[in-house]
Amino acid sequence: MDFINFIGFLAAAGTTVAFIPQVIRSVKTKSTKDISLVMYSLFCIGISLWIIYGIFLNSQPIILANSITLLLAITVLITKFRYG
Amino acid sequence: MDFINFIGFLAAAGTTVAFIPQVIRSVKTKSTKDISLVMYSLFCIGISLWIIYGIFLNSQPIILANSITLLLAITVLITKFRYG
């Protein structure tokens, strides 16, 4: 893996892993009132479009990173629906 | 612009614009306790790496979309530091 791809890999890992502490916080505190429902709805739509884009480009990294991000973002969205 | 690039453009717009309602909510309510500080810290680092990646690839769309996302995510981070 060359240096540029390594930066891209780190970038994808960072913006994906970032959602794990939010999932943990929302599940643990059962409190999500400060989280924007519109943000996570738009974000899930955007991430789904990234996955479709990755499928068109046949890019495994785009598909993989965004699939994990989508799962995490959907989890936050579910806690938002559940705890308000 | 072909169809695949159009999907990519929509995807980038979605995951960028998504943060606007969160910024509005946090600024308006002055309440950010349910938002994870670790999430937004990691996310800002990840997005900064995407911008560096875009500079290496000389990709205007990656640089532009992620620069706007970074500004919005930093704004959420500032409200988090301010309102706790």
Side-chain angles (χ1 to χ4, degrees), chain A residues 49-66, chain B residues 4-5 7-8:
Chain A
L49 288 169
W50 276 125
I51 295 171
I52 294 169
Y53 182 70
I55 292 168
F56 273 125
L57 291 187
N58 201 15
S59 163
Q60 302 285 334
I62 293 180
I63 297 168
L64 184 69
N66 284 292
Chain B
I4 297 175
N5 277 337
I7 295 288

Side-chain angles (χ1 to χ4, degrees), chain A residues 32-48:
Chain A
T32 52
K33 76 167 173 45
D34 299 334
I35 288 173
S36 164
L37 176 66
V38 184
M39 172 194 155
Y40 276 90
S41 306
L42 281 174
F43 195 76
C44 286
I45 294 169
I47 291 291
S48 302

Side-chain angles (χ1 to χ4, degrees), chain A residues 21-31 79 83:
Chain A
Q22 182 64 66
V23 168
I24 293 172
R25 188 180 187 100
S26 298
V27 169
K28 219 158 128 184
T29 62
K30 298 188 200 314
S31 173
T79 63
Y83 306 125

